[in-house]
Amino acid sequence: MGNEKPKLRVGLIGTGFMGKTHSFGFAAAERVFDLPFELELHTVADRTEELARAAARGLGFKNATGDWRRLVSEPDIDLVDITAPNAFHHEMALAAIAAGKHVYCEKPLAPRAAEAAEMANAAVSAGVSTQVGFNYLCNPMMALARELIASGELGEIRSYRGIHAEDYMGDADGPFTFRLDPVGGGALADLGSHALATAEFLIGPIERVLGDEVTVINSRPDAKGGRTAVEVDDIGRAFLRFANGATGSIEASWVATGRKMQHDFEIYGSKGALTFSQERFNELHFYVAADAGRVRGFRRIEAGPDHPPYGLFCVAPGHQLGFNDLKAIEIALFLEAIAGQRSEPFGFKSGQRVQELVEAVHTSAVETRWVSTLKHVA
Amino acid sequence: MGNEKPKLRVGLIGTGFMGKTHSFGFAAAERVFDLPFELELHTVADRTEELARAAARGLGFKNATGDWRRLVSEPDIDLVDITAPNAFHHEMALAAIAAGKHVYCEKPLAPRAAEAAEMANAAVSAGVSTQVGFNYLCNPMMALARELIASGELGEIRSYRGIHAEDYMGDADGPFTFRLDPVGGGALADLGSHALATAEFLIGPIERVLGDEVTVINSRPDAKGGRTAVEVDDIGRAFLRFANGATGSIEASWVATGRKMQHDFEIYGSKGALTFSQERFNELHFYVAADAGRVRGFRRIEAGPDHPPYGLFCVAPGHQLGFNDLKAIEIALFLEAIAGQRSEPFGFKSGQRVQELVEAVHTSAVETRWVSTLKHVA
Amino acid sequence: MGNEKPKLRVGLIGTGFMGKTHSFGFAAAERVFDLPFELELHTVADRTEELARAAARGLGFKNATGDWRRLVSEPDIDLVDITAPNAFHHEMALAAIAAGKHVYCEKPLAPRAAEAAEMANAAVSAGVSTQVGFNYLCNPMMALARELIASGELGEIRSYRGIHAEDYMGDADGPFTFRLDPVGGGALADLGSHALATAEFLIGPIERVLGDEVTVINSRPDAKGGRTAVEVDDIGRAFLRFANGATGSIEASWVATGRKMQHDFEIYGSKGALTFSQERFNELHFYVAADAGRVRGFRRIEAGPDHPPYGLFCVAPGHQLGFNDLKAIEIALFLEAIAGQRSEPFGFKSGQRVQELVEAVHTSAVETRWVSTLKHVA
Amino acid sequence: MGNEKPKLRVGLIGTGFMGKTHSFGFAAAERVFDLPFELELHTVADRTEELARAAARGLGFKNATGDWRRLVSEPDIDLVDITAPNAFHHEMALAAIAAGKHVYCEKPLAPRAAEAAEMANAAVSAGVSTQVGFNYLCNPMMALARELIASGELGEIRSYRGIHAEDYMGDADGPFTFRLDPVGGGALADLGSHALATAEFLIGPIERVLGDEVTVINSRPDAKGGRTAVEVDDIGRAFLRFANGATGSIEASWVATGRKMQHDFEIYGSKGALTFSQERFNELHFYVAADAGRVRGFRRIEAGPDHPPYGLFCVAPGHQLGFNDLKAIEIALFLEAIAGQRSEPFGFKSGQRVQELVEAVHTSAVETRWVSTLKHVA
């Protein structure tokens, strides 16, 4: 039956780790899902033609180019996938949109919300589909959490606590990198963006924030042998007010010694509660207030075929999905959106939204006042 | 050798659950510890002499009275222990101090910090020893955490996250009680006080706070058959700045469905990290950054004789202390302070301090500004 | 109302750690429970009168003696509590029974089942009440587990796995002690006895066993500066057949490096499952097969007032009982049995039974055959 | 550099779930690893040419056939991958070996050890490489465990406990299937084989076993509307003696209500201990006896780039591998063995060995005697 599927030709810009991960994701999505398209890995672009050619062989693309603009203007290509360094996202995405391509872009879309908005609006005008890489949200257990909330099984949501903490910037003698760039850098932008996206994915629109930002390591060794002052936050926090009346908080830290993937949340409703940790992302813990008192307690739910699309990866429960499987799900959802089978799960508007939330927290932290975030809701 | 120990005669006011717990604590402390005193449970006071007499028999006291003022003025009594309702703490404690007694009082000392200060100052002037019931801090694993921080094994402390969440006020149709009294009530005062006390116990003085308060259940059924508006917080949160440069947050909630004793903390330093949950308070989790990478991870330390005074309760590790054992430790520490063997672990100044922190958070939440808390540090 | 309670006078033999624990347990039981008796700590016996007198003061007993036989024959004493070294249990208990006393004796009753049987039979003939110290079984969560099984909430029981592993004999250079005595020693007798008692407490009579015993450390340093060969097991294991058709296994080890209190079980039934670890003994994990598939998982039940007699120790859930609290429960149950309010929870017949099971496993391991254990069931 | 790699052409027999998983694994392995071959998915065989043709399109193979014998005799094919039903493994593998192909076969190799031996010996004679699918052993944390043992970091190994329990056969009204076939069926063969393979992978050769087998559900509904008696075990257990002196046990159950993937082990050595659960297979827990007493405890090690080949899948720790990633590792290891870069990780000899162990446990259970397993060690 695959025969009559339309072709979708992919052009990939960037061949680093994320380029590899995306290529892998396309291949995996095609094998795991019954996609609406037959994929063709058409062209890969890198800084030089030589690099691109080597990458094409390794990643399974047919053609290679040292000029991303040629890829973007190639008439045969339907989807441009941008995994180049963050600084290029804005220019590349706008060019691809202008050429009428669907665009898949790693986060962050752009260092500032205004630029992200420009990209999102361009896509709407051009009528192309877009996607930002929010892989954590593609976890079947995340979908289950959202569903339990939406269906009222938690009752009225009362509070939310979200965290994204890691320790990869915890070494005071680690080098000054692009992540520390005063424009668009910081733990809040890098990790808090995930915590904020998860909060809205599960609970709904955030209305107001009261932020807190801290620079823990005030200078870092630079390439010139000295130390450069750090202007961005190492830890960002915010109190939240949701449109549905719930309140909460998020925290982001990249200096949380010992934490590798603490993308966690706790949600308390009038009828139940949920807790989750990305460190064990094949589990969701669910408290049901209506259970009889003496046998009531958080249920450790293990991912299985009851939690689609888990069953497409493994026939039996308990086998566990991995990080790369989440990427395949992310790609499948995007392709369904391109085919018109569903709305965009994480379109550029979502990417813009997260940047706006990050900026609102930042403004709030600097000015010590509640900052409204409601006008921007998609 | 107990023969030559001086006597210490105890008068107990209040015979409810806390009165029972304290009586039990005195008995337990005497058997477990080599106390500096021989204890005599001298007199118990309750609302009527009849009630007091019944309690005296049950709790092991020699005498009984229906008038707490007589107990306070009894010359033979050395230590007055107040477990009467919160509203009486201030008056009773001042009377006991005036009579030259040492005073042990359940928390909160008083609904307002100013009154707590009056009590603390009176005790200093009178030269008597005092104690407020901060039982969580008497846990050997809490002592271990403090010691690891103080000794530098965590390096420079970077961030702190403290929580105290339960769900005993989570039922929207539960009755309006004294806990909801606009003066001195609320989750922040009731539970946040524990979270704040733990934060300072471990990390040191808090300098500034930025607070957030929320009333989730806006009215509760009252005794007249109607509903009374709730003015106090069901959830309280604060960002923290510590004097040593660390930053952090606390959260208090009494509507956290499913939570029975989430008095938890996470501490991240430059060399290590600690996590703790009161739900499993015989454990402390310790990450040592210096451990070799491939075998590094949070160590689940189980309480044992290596963690004094655990060994006085059980000769072998892993047997576990219970909540009432913490009370016995609390009493032993107080008696040692009375005997001049150590400083007051949780004197009325500590009780005053916590009330000040609670009020600072409240003011901050109402006015949306950072509020200094430093002037009051003991 | 305590006034009209009959007195029960206690005589304690042995003042070491267990003597202290028992004294503490009597005091705690009296404060926590509404006991059927007013307790009087009458006399304590130790090796010399001087030691006994010091202990009497410390433990709260009125009288002291250097001769346990005088204690046993003291007409006023109702209950003799034996915490002397294991080697004396048999002689002391028989003497106390002969004198018409109720007897409380630490485990093991005797090194051989035959002697334990003699003790149990003597008590029956004399019409006195007896108890052996099976404190783990006094845990409210253990009672909950038993109740869930008995009420059919787990369905037909299919399999059982029990463990009791610690590491206190794990050091190959630790001294040769009484625990290694060829008569009555070994991990199976010391720890496996707990695992076997728990198995029968929860599932019912064991019918047959197939054992396995291993000596891991073949010799240990003795008092003479040499090494003595070890004849007893460091690890004991058994396959089990229960009378109700369930099958299972137990394992006992005192060389399980890192384990402090792994008294754990897992029980699988046709409708549900239970898992438990003594390392976190205020929790029971319960799987309910009938829960809806997508939200089904082991429930982490935390001990609380729904699990009697927890509520007598703490008014709120989540506060946690400690090891010494289990001892108080054990004593309260015994006193209720003496008062005729219930059957003996862990009488000498239970102690005899466990010794028989241990011996059956040993015989089975030596002869590599299934050994029947059914004739002895109480 | 991929250019000069030799080609390896794959023929796949069977297109069910495992066929899909293998196809996916080949694709994943090629993207994640720098394989010694350029893979070509040459031909797929299914029961009819039509089915095969559809599968070829879906799975990315060039050719299709309805006759697996034609695939096996196709000169261009280098590697035959067998995912057909178990009953065909023996015949297909022998035919492929006879045709000089390398053979990759899902477990079990054959229902009886003798047939597995025939297959293993044929492969040795033909000089082809073989592999059985032991994916659990391809987990980087399993490799870490093995390495810690081999390097002596656990000291002398004292005991082992292995489990593989699930509940997919727990419903007494579930149908009679091929898994219940008296020849080659049963929980011990299906799941115990994994537990035994893991035990030898980690600790080394098993010398003797003492087995226990139980049928819990004595009959199951058959296709004719009646019930067929079940002759195989629902639960299998064994005590183990390892050649290095360690002892242990394994248990297999497919009626363990609530368990989805309890492939767990605990290992105790003189210097440390390890615990692992497949339910959280990105973690290994490691106790180091030499750690200072007050801060000693099981370390929760999270998988990361320190644990190769994790880093090829994710650049950062904590992201987690999934079940399908383990398949990709399994394939990469096999291809390296074919290229002569390493020995066969899980060749047919390993498959034969596991069948022998299963049969030894079975014999032992039936005859209640220790059965030697040493002669067969590879």
Side-chain angles (χ1 to χ4, degrees):
Chain A
M1 69 193 150
N3 247 3
E4 64 289 4
K5 281 183 190 178
K7 280 220 171 182
L8 188 100
R9 278 147 299 202
V10 177
L12 171 71
I13 311 179
T15 65
F17 190 79
M18 261 303 160
K20 195 173 158 187
T21 298
H22 281 226
S23 304
F24 178 66
F26 280 109
E30 197 155 27
R31 269 164 184 79
V32 171
F33 292 88
D34 182 17
L35 298 177
F37 298 103
E38 187 182 345
L39 296 181
E40 184 184 318
L41 302 185
H42 189 283
T43 300
V44 66
D46 206 340
R47 273 166 302 144
T48 68
E49 202 171 324
E50 203 174 6
L51 284 169
R53 239 184 273 132
R57 278 196 304 272
L59 303 177
F61 282 77
K62 293 199 174 152
N63 311 294
T65 174
D67 177 5
W68 66 264
R69 291 178 190 283
R70 285 188 50 194
L71 181 154
V72 162
S73 58
E74 166 61 49
D76 277 359
I77 288 178
D78 303 298
L79 165 62
V80 172
D81 181 5
I82 303 170
T83 67
N86 299 348
F88 295 97
H89 291 182
H90 180 248
E91 183 182 8
M92 289 173 174
L94 287 179
I97 290 166
K101 313 301 190 195
H102 304 298
V103 185
Y104 180 21
C105 184
E106 262 310 305
K107 70 171 279 285
L109 268 193
R112 289 191 194 84
E115 288 150 357
E118 186 189 351
M119 294 157 78
N121 292 335
V124 171
S125 302
V128 298
S129 294
T130 54
Q131 174 138 312
V132 188
F134 283 116
N135 40 274
Y136 302 123
L137 303 180
C138 298
N139 179 353
M141 301 318 271
M142 204 64 99
L144 174 60
R146 188 191 211 185
E147 209 182 287
L148 291 170
I149 294 165
S151 67
E153 294 187 54
L154 260 71
E156 168 203 339
I157 301 305
R158 290 171 170 179
S159 75
Y160 182 85
R161 190 181 317 119
I163 295 168
H164 195 129
E166 306 194 22
D167 67 0
Y168 57 86
M169 296 293 280
D171 180 358
D173 294 323
F176 195 99
T177 73
F178 74 94
R179 293 178 192 275
L180 298 162
D181 189 326
V183 179
L188 196 62
D190 206 27
L191 300 181
S193 52
H194 289 297
L196 289 160
T198 298
E200 289 209 329
F201 178 80
L202 294 170
I203 311 293
I206 294 168
E207 233 176 44
R208 283 185 299 149
V209 296
L210 179 56
D212 181 26
E213 287 184 352
V214 185
T215 306
V216 171
I217 299 169
N218 289 300
S219 71
R220 306 247 191 186
D222 56 32
K224 299 172 207 150
R227 292 184 76 95
T228 296
V230 172
E231 296 176 39
V232 301
D233 60 297
D234 290 317
I235 304 175
R237 304 179 181 97
F239 299 136
L240 311 176
R241 293 290 180 274
F242 293 91
N244 69 359
T247 73
S249 68
I250 59 103
E251 177 173 342
S253 171
W254 60 24
V255 294
T257 305
R259 289 300 181 187
K260 307 308 173 191
M261 185 45 74
Q262 191 183 26
H263 180 84
D264 298 0
F265 63 75
E266 300 192 8
I267 302 174
Y268 299 96
S270 56
K271 294 185 184 170
L274 291 172
T275 72
F276 172 83
S277 174
Q278 186 73 21
E279 293 176 359
R280 291 169 170 172
F281 76 71
N282 285 275
E283 300 177 12
L284 182 68
H285 298 251
F286 179 30
Y287 183 89
V288 180
D291 282 341
R294 67 173 192 153
V295 293
R296 188 167 50 198
F298 278 90
R299 303 174 181 186
R300 183 168 78 89
I301 307 168
E302 295 181 88
D306 282 320
H307 313 112
Y310 175 100
L312 298 178
F313 291 87
C314 300
V315 276
H319 284 63
Q320 310 204 19
L321 300 188
F323 179 78
N324 288 325
D325 295 326
L326 303 186
K327 210 74 196 169
I329 298 174
E330 184 183 298
I331 287 170
L333 291 173
F334 184 33
L335 297 180
E336 286 168 23
I338 292 175
Q341 296 173 354
R342 51 162 298 152
S343 62
E344 288 174 11
F346 316 106
F348 278 12
K349 280 284 171 202
S350 302
Q352 170 192 344
R353 171 64 181 165
V354 165
Q355 291 298 106
E356 287 167 352
L357 289 169
V358 166
E359 290 181 13
V361 172
H362 177 68
T363 301
S364 168
V366 170
E367 304 181 5
T368 311
R369 61 178 182 86
W370 285 92
V371 169
S372 168
T373 59
L374 203 52
K375 60 175 173 198
H376 307 291
V377 177
Chain B
M1 68 193 152
N3 245 2
E4 63 289 3
K5 281 184 189 175
K7 280 218 169 184
L8 190 101
R9 278 148 300 202
V10 177
L12 171 71
I13 311 178
T15 65
F17 189 78
M18 261 301 160
K20 196 172 159 188
T21 297
H22 281 225
S23 304
F24 178 66
F26 281 110
E30 197 155 27
R31 268 163 185 80
V32 172
F33 291 87
D34 181 19
L35 297 178
F37 299 103
E38 186 182 344
L39 295 181
E40 184 184 318
L41 302 186
H42 189 283
T43 300
V44 67
D46 206 339
R47 274 166 304 145
T48 69
E49 201 172 324
E50 202 174 5
L51 284 169
R53 239 185 273 132
R57 278 194 307 271
L59 302 178
F61 282 77
K62 293 196 175 156
N63 311 295
T65 174
D67 178 4
W68 66 265
R69 290 178 191 281
R70 284 188 52 193
L71 182 153
V72 161
S73 58
E74 165 60 48
D76 277 359
I77 288 177
D78 303 299
L79 166 61
V80 173
D81 181 4
I82 304 170
T83 68
N86 298 348
F88 296 96
H89 291 182
H90 180 250
E91 183 183 7
M92 288 173 174
L94 287 178
I97 290 167
K101 314 299 191 195
H102 303 298
V103 186
Y104 179 22
C105 185
E106 261 310 304
K107 70 172 277 285
L109 268 193
R112 289 190 195 85
E115 288 150 356
E118 187 189 352
M119 295 158 78
N121 292 334
V124 170
S125 303
V128 299
S129 293
T130 54
Q131 173 139 313
V132 188
F134 282 117
N135 41 272
Y136 302 123
L137 303 180
C138 298
N139 178 353
M141 302 318 271
M142 205 63 99
L144 174 61
R146 188 191 210 186
E147 209 182 288
L148 291 170
I149 294 165
S151 68
E153 294 187 54
L154 259 71
E156 169 203 337
I157 301 305
R158 289 172 171 178
S159 75
Y160 182 86
R161 185 163 49 246
I163 295 168
H164 194 129
E166 305 194 22
D167 67 1
Y168 56 86
M169 297 292 280
D171 181 358
D173 294 324
F176 194 99
T177 74
F178 74 94
R179 294 177 192 276
L180 299 161
D181 190 326
V183 179
L188 196 61
D190 206 27
L191 300 182
S193 52
H194 288 297
L196 289 161
T198 298
E200 288 209 330
F201 178 79
L202 293 171
I203 311 293
I206 294 169
E207 233 175 45
R208 284 185 300 149
V209 296
L210 179 55
D212 182 26
E213 287 185 352
V214 186
T215 306
V216 172
I217 299 169
N218 288 301
S219 71
R220 308 248 190 184
D222 55 33
K224 300 173 207 149
R227 293 184 76 94
T228 296
V230 172
E231 295 176 39
V232 301
D233 59 297
D234 290 317
I235 303 174
R237 304 180 182 97
F239 299 136
L240 311 176
R241 294 288 181 273
F242 293 90
N244 69 359
T247 74
S249 68
I250 59 102
E251 178 172 339
S253 171
W254 61 23
V255 295
T257 305
R259 288 299 181 187
K260 307 309 174 190
M261 186 45 75
Q262 192 184 25
H263 179 83
D264 297 1
F265 63 76
E266 302 193 5
I267 302 173
Y268 298 96
S270 55
K271 294 184 183 170
L274 292 172
T275 72
F276 172 84
S277 174
Q278 187 72 21
E279 293 177 0
R280 289 168 171 174
F281 76 70
N282 284 275
E283 299 177 14
L284 182 69
H285 298 251
F286 180 30
Y287 183 89
V288 181
D291 282 342
R294 68 174 190 153
V295 292
R296 188 166 49 199
F298 279 89
R299 303 174 181 186
R300 184 168 78 90
I301 306 169
E302 294 181 90
D306 282 321
H307 312 113
Y310 176 100
L312 298 177
F313 291 87
C314 301
V315 277
H319 284 63
Q320 310 204 18
L321 300 187
F323 179 77
N324 288 324
D325 296 327
L326 303 186
K327 210 71 194 171
I329 298 175
E330 184 184 297
I331 286 170
L333 291 172
F334 184 32
L335 297 180
E336 287 168 22
I338 291 175
Q341 295 173 353
R342 51 162 299 150
S343 62
E344 287 173 9
F346 315 106
F348 278 12
K349 280 283 171 202
S350 301
Q352 171 192 343
R353 171 64 181 164
V354 164
Q355 291 298 106
E356 287 167 353
L357 289 170
V358 165
E359 289 180 13
V361 172
H362 177 67
T363 301
S364 167
V366 170
E367 303 180 5
T368 312
R369 62 177 180 87
W370 285 91
V371 169
S372 168
T373 59
L374 203 52
K375 59 175 175 202
H376 305 292
V377 177
Chain C
M1 67 194 148
N3 246 2
E4 64 286 6
K5 281 182 188 177
K7 279 220 169 184
L8 188 101
R9 276 148 300 203
V10 177
L12 172 71
I13 310 178
T15 65
F17 190 79
M18 261 302 161
K20 197 173 158 186
T21 298
H22 280 225
S23 304
F24 177 67
F26 281 109
E30 197 156 28
R31 269 164 185 80
V32 171
F33 291 88
D34 181 18
L35 297 177
F37 299 103
E38 187 182 343
L39 295 182
E40 184 184 317
L41 302 186
H42 190 282
T43 300
V44 66
D46 207 338
R47 276 166 301 145
T48 70
E49 202 172 323
E50 203 176 4
L51 284 170
R53 238 185 275 131
R57 279 196 304 273
L59 302 178
F61 282 76
K62 292 196 175 154
N63 310 294
T65 174
D67 177 3
W68 66 265
R69 291 177 191 281
R70 286 189 50 194
L71 183 154
V72 161
S73 58
E74 165 60 48
D76 278 358
I77 287 177
D78 304 298
L79 165 62
V80 173
D81 181 5
I82 303 170
T83 68
N86 298 348
F88 296 95
H89 291 182
H90 181 249
E91 182 182 9
M92 288 172 175
L94 287 178
I97 290 167
K101 313 300 190 196
H102 303 297
V103 187
Y104 180 22
C105 184
E106 262 310 304
K107 70 172 276 287
L109 269 193
R112 288 191 195 82
E115 288 150 356
E118 186 190 352
M119 295 157 78
N121 292 335
V124 170
S125 303
V128 299
S129 294
T130 53
Q131 173 138 313
V132 187
F134 282 117
N135 41 271
Y136 302 124
L137 303 180
C138 298
N139 179 353
M141 302 317 272
M142 205 64 100
L144 174 61
R146 188 190 211 187
E147 208 182 287
L148 291 170
I149 294 166
S151 68
E153 294 186 55
L154 259 71
E156 168 203 340
I157 302 304
R158 290 172 170 178
S159 75
Y160 182 84
R161 184 163 51 246
I163 296 168
H164 195 129
E166 305 195 22
D167 67 0
Y168 56 87
M169 296 293 279
D171 181 0
D173 294 323
F176 194 99
T177 74
F178 73 95
R179 294 178 191 276
L180 298 162
D181 190 326
V183 179
L188 196 62
D190 206 27
L191 301 182
S193 53
H194 289 296
L196 289 160
T198 297
E200 289 209 329
F201 178 79
L202 294 170
I203 310 294
I206 294 168
E207 235 176 42
R208 283 186 299 149
V209 296
L210 179 56
D212 181 25
E213 286 184 354
V214 186
T215 306
V216 172
I217 299 170
N218 289 301
S219 71
R220 307 245 191 187
D222 56 31
K224 300 173 206 149
R227 294 184 75 95
T228 296
V230 172
E231 296 175 39
V232 300
D233 59 298
D234 290 317
I235 304 175
R237 305 179 181 97
F239 299 135
L240 311 176
R241 292 290 182 272
F242 293 91
N244 69 0
T247 74
S249 68
I250 59 103
E251 176 172 341
S253 172
W254 60 23
V255 295
T257 305
R259 289 298 180 187
K260 307 307 173 190
M261 187 44 75
Q262 191 185 25
H263 180 83
D264 297 0
F265 64 76
E266 302 192 6
I267 303 174
Y268 298 95
S270 57
K271 294 185 183 170
L274 291 172
T275 73
F276 172 84
S277 174
Q278 186 73 20
E279 293 177 359
R280 290 169 171 171
F281 77 70
N282 284 276
E283 300 177 13
L284 182 68
H285 297 251
F286 180 30
Y287 183 89
V288 181
D291 282 340
R294 66 172 192 154
V295 292
R296 188 167 50 199
F298 279 89
R299 304 173 180 186
R300 183 168 79 90
I301 306 169
E302 294 181 89
D306 282 320
H307 312 111
Y310 175 100
L312 298 179
F313 291 87
C314 301
V315 277
H319 284 63
Q320 310 203 19
L321 300 187
F323 178 78
N324 288 324
D325 297 326
L326 303 186
K327 209 75 195 167
I329 298 173
E330 184 184 299
I331 287 170
L333 291 172
F334 184 32
L335 296 180
E336 287 168 22
I338 292 175
Q341 296 173 354
R342 52 162 298 152
S343 62
E344 288 174 11
F346 316 106
F348 278 12
K349 280 283 171 204
S350 301
Q352 170 192 345
R353 171 65 180 164
V354 165
Q355 291 298 107
E356 288 167 351
L357 289 170
V358 166
E359 290 180 13
V361 172
H362 177 68
T363 301
S364 167
V366 170
E367 304 180 4
T368 309
R369 61 177 181 88
W370 285 91
V371 170
S372 169
T373 59
L374 203 52
K375 61 179 167 166
H376 307 290
V377 176
Chain D
M1 69 194 149
N3 246 2
E4 65 286 7
K5 283 183 188 176
K7 280 218 169 186
L8 188 101
R9 277 147 301 203
V10 177
L12 172 71
I13 310 178
T15 65
F17 189 78
M18 261 302 161
K20 197 173 158 187
T21 298
H22 281 224
S23 304
F24 178 65
F26 281 110
E30 195 155 30
R31 270 163 185 79
V32 171
F33 291 88
D34 181 18
L35 298 177
F37 299 103
E38 188 183 342
L39 296 180
E40 185 184 317
L41 302 185
H42 189 283
T43 299
V44 67
D46 205 341
R47 275 165 302 146
T48 69
E49 200 172 324
E50 203 174 4
L51 284 169
R53 238 184 275 131
R57 278 195 305 273
L59 303 177
F61 282 75
K62 293 198 175 154
N63 311 295
T65 173
D67 178 4
W68 66 265
R69 293 178 190 281
R70 285 191 49 197
L71 181 151
V72 161
S73 59
E74 165 61 49
D76 278 357
I77 288 178
D78 304 298
L79 166 62
V80 172
D81 181 6
I82 302 170
T83 68
N86 299 347
F88 296 95
H89 290 183
H90 180 249
E91 182 183 9
M92 288 174 174
L94 288 178
I97 290 166
K101 313 300 188 193
H102 303 297
V103 185
Y104 180 22
C105 184
E106 262 311 305
K107 67 171 280 286
L109 268 193
R112 288 191 195 84
E115 288 150 357
E118 185 189 352
M119 294 156 79
N121 292 334
V124 170
S125 302
V128 299
S129 294
T130 55
Q131 174 138 310
V132 188
F134 283 117
N135 39 272
Y136 302 123
L137 303 180
C138 299
N139 179 353
M141 302 317 272
M142 205 63 100
L144 174 60
R146 187 190 212 189
E147 208 182 288
L148 290 169
I149 293 165
S151 68
E153 295 187 53
L154 259 72
E156 169 203 338
I157 301 305
R158 290 173 170 177
S159 76
Y160 182 85
R161 190 181 317 119
I163 296 167
H164 196 129
E166 306 195 22
D167 66 1
Y168 57 86
M169 296 293 280
D171 181 359
D173 294 324
F176 194 99
T177 72
F178 73 95
R179 294 178 192 275
L180 298 161
D181 190 326
V183 179
L188 195 63
D190 207 27
L191 300 182
S193 52
H194 288 297
L196 289 161
T198 297
E200 289 210 328
F201 178 79
L202 293 170
I203 310 294
I206 294 169
E207 235 177 43
R208 284 184 299 149
V209 297
L210 178 57
D212 181 26
E213 286 185 353
V214 186
T215 305
V216 172
I217 299 169
N218 289 299
S219 71
R220 309 246 190 187
D222 57 31
K224 299 173 208 150
R227 294 184 74 95
T228 296
V230 173
E231 296 176 38
V232 301
D233 59 298
D234 290 317
I235 303 175
R237 304 179 182 97
F239 299 135
L240 312 176
R241 294 289 181 272
F242 292 91
N244 69 0
T247 74
S249 69
I250 60 103
E251 176 172 342
S253 171
W254 60 23
V255 294
T257 306
R259 290 298 182 186
K260 307 308 172 190
M261 185 46 73
Q262 191 185 25
H263 180 82
D264 298 0
F265 63 76
E266 301 192 8
I267 302 173
Y268 298 96
S270 55
K271 294 185 184 170
L274 291 173
T275 73
F276 172 84
S277 173
Q278 186 74 19
E279 292 177 359
R280 290 169 170 172
F281 78 69
N282 285 275
E283 298 177 15
L284 182 68
H285 298 251
F286 180 29
Y287 183 88
V288 181
D291 282 342
R294 67 173 191 153
V295 292
R296 188 167 49 199
F298 278 90
R299 304 173 181 186
R300 183 168 79 88
I301 306 169
E302 294 181 88
D306 282 320
H307 313 111
Y310 176 100
L312 298 177
F313 290 87
C314 301
V315 276
H319 284 62
Q320 310 203 19
L321 300 188
F323 178 77
N324 288 324
D325 296 326
L326 303 186
K327 211 73 195 170
I329 298 173
E330 184 182 299
I331 286 170
L333 291 173
F334 185 32
L335 297 180
E336 287 167 23
I338 292 175
Q341 296 173 354
R342 52 162 296 151
S343 62
E344 287 174 10
F346 315 106
F348 278 12
K349 281 283 171 202
S350 302
Q352 170 192 345
R353 171 66 181 164
V354 164
Q355 291 299 106
E356 287 167 352
L357 289 169
V358 165
E359 290 181 13
V361 172
H362 177 68
T363 301
S364 167
V366 170
E367 303 180 6
T368 310
R369 61 175 182 87
W370 285 92
V371 169
S372 168
T373 59
L374 203 53
K375 60 176 172 184
H376 306 292
V377 176

